[in-house]
């Protein structure tokens, strides 16, 4: 998500890392910075905004530096400001660091450091990590030892890159889940968060393994594990063309983003569920506000609206809290009836959608409390809502939203559990569900392994003229999102509704050649779903059904069955089932030769009415 670059060797390091950052621009970012070594001190240049803003700081020239690191940041902890941009110093400006990922226990560490007299210049978790490493460096005087000691105190997913003014040729990098790629040169070495940044300089690369530290100098790259044990390092030759490499080897950003979902789930959950399976949400309203709220109105567009429907399902089912979901465009012109005790929840990936922003301003005029669920930090909706929860899905480049939806539903799930926890809502198994949420990244990885089966099904249905997306309960809401993906990128007309509605009209459209995709992941509703499947089957429709791996009923009536792991929670089963359905839309679109990342007539951020 954020970009990392680093170089040590005889050439002008500043130019090289700046160029490497440019090659990572496709990942999206909202601030950037460089740290380099000059005359025994570390200089940091950083700016909010695009790389050209950072470039302006170097317009009057920079010294010849032979060691530099650079970072492009996608804001998560702290908005996209100059102060929050990386690199960060430690307390004594002896080291400087850049970081991708999230330090989950940064608040606890911050308190410990403040008690020791540390002061901070930013709101970031990264600066906390810098101070922890700086403290260790004061004790050891050897950068890799300091990093090794410090990482034992850090919890979360991270890639850290550190330099010291006292070790002028050395870059130390540590990896725990977030990627780091090492590049081997001739008398020079480098690193980056992704292969494309290295390709103009070297094609000899190695991926740093998890829980390992790289010590990079111009003459060698050493790898140690977190216990200090030396590891073998072997470079591989990469012959990718640069454009393909930007998509991490995937043919399209959409496919890359679908595959990122296990990590997105990890990032979204990070720091929000503790060891005791308690939900910890920062920056939401206090308990008395939740006790006062008598109704929730969720307001959003497109995919975010569909995520909102899952929110309605959760708030009503778990909390018995009346919830309505509005299209932003309807809400703003619809003269809505709003209870003064209601809460308006705005869901938006971009945080800039014009209709949602206008609806938000309407709520503010009417003095209604507002909560944002937003991906882009510093965006208008994030800034203008009373409170905002960030989805932390990283930049989404494909116009068709995939990972943002998953993260939005996850945040809504955590919010519902959080309220249930505060209010001790009877019958809600908060801790059991929170525990299952923690397993979701692995389960999403399992689901991604179904891709070959999905490709096979895509090949069989790709020429159809109409696809129904049907389900009951949470699966009914999910089917709206699955249908939206199919029409957006494969341009196949779809008909989506609760399965029980079929016989009230849409069934008239079923004939041979029509495809119906059923969500049947809720055991309690499965028998009823079988009846709906039979209705379509009897009229010659082709059935694709998604069910759980412990079910053997659906396969008796459906031609193609996709089985996902059973989480025992209806909304989590539904959420997992979006992954094969995103893949289905993607592969059907690919087989039909459609323009996937930029479908016709659509834009990523709809900032006009
Ligand atoms: C569909 C899609 C759109 C957006 C909608 C709202 O794949 O991406 O339907 O969900 O335009 O955008 P945001 O979430 O940025 O407010």
């Amino acid at each position: 998500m954020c970009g990392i670059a680093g170089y040590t060797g005889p050439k002008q390091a500043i130019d090289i890392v700046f160029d490497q950052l440019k090659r990572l621009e496709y990942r999206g970012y909202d601030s950037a910075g460089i740290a380099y070594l000059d005359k025994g001190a570390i200089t940091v240049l950083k700016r909010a905004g695009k790389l050209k803003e950072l470039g302006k700081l170097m317009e009057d020239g920079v010294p010849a530096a032979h060691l530099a690191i650079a970072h492009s940041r996608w804001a998560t902890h702290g908005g996209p400001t100059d102060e929050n941009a990386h690199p960060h110093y430690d307390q004594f400006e002896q080291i400087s660091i850049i970081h991708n990922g999230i330090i989950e226990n940064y608040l606890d560490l911050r308190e410990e450091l403040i008690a020791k007299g540390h002061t901070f210049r930013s709101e970031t978790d990264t600066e906390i990590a810098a101070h922890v490493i700086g403290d260790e460096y004061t004790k050891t005087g050897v950068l890799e030892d300091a990093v090794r000691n410090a990482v034992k105190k850090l919890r979360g997913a991270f890639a850290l890159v550190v330099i010291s003014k006292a070790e002028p040729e050395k870059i130390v990098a540590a990896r725990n889940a977030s990627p780091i790629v090492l590049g081997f040169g001739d008398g020079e070495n480098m690193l980056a968060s992704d292969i494309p940044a290295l390709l103009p300089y070297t094609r000899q690369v190695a991926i740093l393994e998890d829980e390992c530290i790289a010590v990079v100098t111009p003459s060698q790259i050493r790898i140690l594990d977190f216990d200090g044990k030396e590891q073998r390092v072997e470079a591989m030759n990469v012959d990718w063309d640069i454009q393909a490499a930007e998509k991490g080897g995937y043919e399209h950003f959409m496919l890359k983003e679908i595959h990122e979902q296990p990590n997105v789930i990890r990032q979204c959950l990070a720091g929000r569920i503790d060891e005791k399976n308690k939900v910890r949400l920062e920056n939401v309203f206090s308990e008395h506000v939740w006790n006062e709220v008598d109704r929730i109105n969720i307001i959003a567009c497109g995919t975010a609206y569909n995520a909102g429907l899952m929110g309605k399902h959760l708030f009503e089912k778990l909390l018995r809290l009346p919830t309505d979901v509005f299209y932003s465009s309807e809400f703003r012109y619809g003269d809505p009836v709003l209870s003064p005790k209601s809460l308006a929840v705005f869901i938006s990936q971009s945080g800039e959608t014009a209709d949602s922003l206008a609806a938000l301003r309407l709520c503010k005029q009417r003095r209604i409390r507002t909560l944002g669920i937003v991906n882009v930090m510093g965006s208008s909706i994030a800034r203008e809502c009373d409170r905002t929860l960030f989805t932390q899905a990283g930049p989404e480049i494909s116009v068709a939203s995939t990972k943002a939806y998953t993260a939005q539903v996850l945040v809504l799930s955590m919010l519902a559990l959080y309220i249930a926890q505060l209010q001790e809502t009877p019958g809600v198994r908060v801790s059991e569900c929170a525990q299952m949420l923690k397993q979701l990244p692995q389960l999403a990885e399992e689901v991604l392994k179904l891709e070959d089966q999905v490709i096979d099904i895509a090949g069989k249905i790709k020429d159809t003229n109409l696809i129904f997306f049907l389900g009951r309960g949470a699966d009914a809401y999910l089917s709206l999102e699955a249908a939206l993906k199919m029409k957006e990128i494969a341009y196949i007309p779809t008909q989506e509704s609760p399965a029980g509605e079929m016989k009230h009209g849409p069934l008239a459209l079923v004939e041979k050649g029509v495809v119906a995709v059923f969500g049947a992941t809720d055991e309690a509703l499965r028998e009823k779903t079988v009846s709906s499947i039979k209705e379509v089957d009897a009229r010659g429709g082709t059935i694709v059904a998604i069910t759980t791996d412990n079910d053997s009923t659906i396969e008796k009536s459906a031609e193609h069955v996709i089985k996902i792991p059973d989480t025992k929670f209806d909304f989590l089963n539904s959420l997992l089932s979006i992954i094969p359905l995103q893949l289905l839309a993607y592969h059907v679109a690919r087989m039909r030769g459609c323009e996937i990342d930029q479908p016709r007539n659509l834009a990523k951020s709809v900032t006009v009415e």
Side-chain angles (χ1 to χ4, degrees):
M1 297 178 192
C2 306
I4 277 180
Y7 173 89
T8 176
K11 299 187 187 129
Q12 169 50 297
I14 300 172
D15 290 350
I16 292 176
V17 293
F18 191 69
D19 175 64
Q20 288 174 333
L21 278 194
K22 277 196 199 143
R23 293 175 189 282
L24 294 171
E25 272 197 297
Y26 67 91
R27 296 160 72 100
Y29 64 102
D30 42 38
S31 62
I34 289 183
Y36 59 86
L37 224 74
D38 179 40
K39 298 193 193 94
I42 299 173
T43 302
V44 169
L45 304 174
K46 52 187 191 173
R47 271 287 175 272
K50 293 294 166 193
L51 282 179
K52 71 173 188 314
E53 299 304 318
L54 178 63
K56 284 183 196 159
L57 297 180
M58 300 190 279
E59 268 168 9
D60 296 334
V62 282
H66 301 295
L67 177 114
I69 56 175
H71 189 261
S72 51
R73 173 175 187 254
W74 168 265
T76 56
H77 288 62
T81 61
D82 290 353
E83 294 74 30
N84 290 336
H86 300 196
H88 290 282
Y89 289 117
D90 69 328
Q91 176 79 356
F92 311 107
E93 295 192 9
Q94 50 183 346
I95 63 154
S96 178
I97 87 165
I98 54 180
H99 159 227
N100 283 359
I102 291 177
I103 310 293
E104 291 181 22
N105 56 337
Y106 82 104
L107 284 175
D108 296 342
L109 292 169
R110 192 169 202 273
E111 270 171 35
E112 280 171 33
L113 291 163
I114 288 172
K116 285 192 205 166
H118 285 239
T119 52
F120 301 99
R121 309 172 207 205
S122 78
E123 304 156 278
T124 62
D125 52 341
T126 305
E127 193 182 7
I128 308 296
H131 282 231
V132 173
I133 297 170
D135 255 12
E136 293 298 327
Y137 196 48
T138 317
K139 293 179 213 157
T140 66
V142 179
L143 196 55
E144 56 270 35
D145 292 349
V147 171
R148 210 157 50 73
N149 293 345
V151 291
K152 293 190 178 132
K153 300 184 176 172
L154 307 178
R155 225 178 42 235
F158 50 78
L160 295 168
V161 176
V162 194
I163 58 172
S164 153
K165 66 179 184 184
E167 298 179 74
E169 292 199 323
K170 192 190 279 179
I171 305 175
V172 173
R175 171 181 179 168
N176 188 29
S178 301
I180 290 197
V181 187
L182 306 164
F184 297 78
D186 190 8
E188 59 182 7
N189 285 309
M190 58 209 82
L191 54 82
S193 48
D194 212 347
I195 293 173
L198 300 176
L199 290 182
Y201 303 96
T202 178
R203 294 205 165 240
Q204 293 296 306
V205 306
I207 311 288
L208 183 62
E209 297 287 332
D210 252 351
E211 302 199 358
C212 279
I213 288 176
V215 184
V216 184
T217 59
S219 55
Q220 66 165 173
I221 299 183
R222 281 172 63 216
I223 309 286
L224 311 168
D225 66 16
F226 280 4
D227 294 323
K229 215 163 120 220
E230 203 89 25
Q231 304 291 307
R232 261 169 63 87
V233 52
E234 231 171 89
M236 58 179 178
N237 188 57
V238 179
D239 57 4
W240 298 354
D241 75 67
I242 292 185
Q243 236 206 338
E246 286 180 347
K247 294 178 186 138
Y250 290 101
E251 207 176 325
H252 298 98
F253 280 110
M254 181 179 179
L255 189 59
K256 176 171 179 267
E257 286 160 8
I258 293 172
H259 278 264
E260 275 171 5
Q261 286 176 111
N263 255 338
V264 165
I265 298 171
R266 250 175 229 121
Q267 292 256 95
C268 182
L269 297 176
R272 289 169 165 167
I273 297 182
D274 69 14
E275 288 85 2
K276 294 186 182 133
N277 294 322
K278 288 244 179 298
V279 183
R280 286 171 45 161
L281 291 185
E282 274 168 46
N283 196 30
V284 283
F285 301 100
S286 49
E287 192 171 348
H288 79 272
V289 173
W290 292 115
N291 291 340
E292 196 182 276
V293 168
D294 62 354
R295 173 170 286 277
I296 293 191
N297 293 314
I298 300 179
I299 301 145
C301 309
T303 287
Y305 171 90
N306 294 340
L309 291 171
M310 289 291 268
K312 172 183 169 69
H313 176 82
L314 284 158
F315 294 134
E316 294 195 333
K317 189 165 176 177
L318 298 184
L319 307 173
R320 313 302 301 157
L321 183 55
T323 304
D324 284 317
V325 190
F326 294 88
Y327 291 111
S328 310
S329 54
E330 286 295 300
F331 183 88
R332 61 185 291 199
Y333 297 117
D335 193 14
V337 180
L338 299 174
S339 149
K341 291 183 184 163
S342 64
L343 170 70
V345 177
F346 290 86
I347 308 178
S348 176
Q349 189 285 126
S350 62
E352 300 294 349
T353 301
D355 283 325
S356 301
L357 194 55
L360 166 60
R361 289 177 181 159
L362 177 81
C363 286
K364 299 217 68 147
Q365 263 170 20
R366 300 249 201 119
R367 298 184 182 282
I368 301 294
R369 285 189 192 99
T370 56
L371 172 73
I373 296 181
V374 177
N375 198 33
V376 179
M377 269 210 160
S379 59
S380 306
I381 296 178
R383 283 198 317 268
E384 293 186 29
C385 277
D386 297 333
R387 303 292 158 94
T388 298
L389 286 168
F390 290 98
T391 43
Q392 299 184 169
E396 197 176 56
I397 294 166
S398 154
V399 166
S401 186
T402 53
K403 60 180 185 170
Y405 172 82
T406 300
Q408 287 159 354
V409 176
L410 263 188
V411 169
L412 288 162
S413 310
M414 285 189 279
L415 182 60
L417 291 175
Y418 178 77
I419 302 169
Q421 179 179 288
L422 276 181
Q423 300 182 335
E424 297 178 8
T425 312
V428 183
R429 298 170 286 156
V430 174
S431 129
E432 215 180 300
C433 188
Q435 204 175 358
M436 184 49 76
L437 281 175
K438 285 189 196 162
Q439 291 175 36
L440 219 55
Q442 292 96 291
L443 298 181
E445 269 157 22
E446 289 298 306
V447 175
L448 283 167
K449 292 186 191 145
L450 300 169
E451 186 163 5
D452 283 345
Q453 191 198 351
V454 173
I455 293 174
D456 191 48
I457 298 171
K460 298 201 167 103
I461 68 166
K462 68 178 193 324
D463 296 319
T464 185
N465 293 325
L466 176 62
I467 308 185
F468 284 83
F469 285 88
L470 305 160
R472 287 170 186 265
D475 285 338
Y477 292 137
L478 196 283
S479 64
L480 302 192
E481 175 56 12
L484 182 62
K485 291 296 87 96
M486 187 63 82
K487 65 182 116 205
E488 271 182 298
I489 61 164
Y491 313 144
I492 298 180
T494 63
Q495 167 74 37
E496 49 278 13
S497 72
E501 270 300 292
M502 281 296 277
K503 53 189 172 301
H504 300 291
L507 199 56
L509 292 172
V510 177
E511 57 183 349
K512 203 167 165 31
V514 158
V515 174
V517 179
F518 281 88
T521 66
D522 184 347
E523 196 185 343
L525 300 171
R526 203 166 280 146
E527 253 180 44
K528 299 281 167 214
T529 307
V530 170
S531 314
S532 308
I533 291 178
K534 292 227 184 297
E535 285 167 4
V536 176
D537 186 41
R539 287 158 183 89
T542 302
I543 314 288
V544 179
I546 306 207
T547 185
T548 51
D549 52 10
N550 50 0
D551 166 52
S552 56
T553 55
I554 292 291
E555 59 213 45
K556 294 187 189 123
S557 34
E559 204 172 321
H560 308 287
V561 180
I562 299 170
K563 290 190 174 187
I564 57 159
D566 185 15
T567 65
K568 307 275 179 241
F569 291 91
D570 63 343
F571 60 99
L572 294 182
N573 282 356
S574 288
L575 181 57
L576 278 180
S577 74
I578 194 60
I579 297 175
L581 294 174
Q582 292 165 341
L583 286 169
L584 187 67
Y586 171 82
H587 286 291
V588 168
R590 187 178 55 80
M591 289 171 190
R592 289 165 69 97
C594 300
E595 185 71 56
I596 291 183
D597 284 332
Q598 273 148 358
R600 68 186 182 205
N601 311 336
L602 299 178
K604 184 70 190 155
S605 183
V606 188
T607 51
V608 290
E609 272 190 50

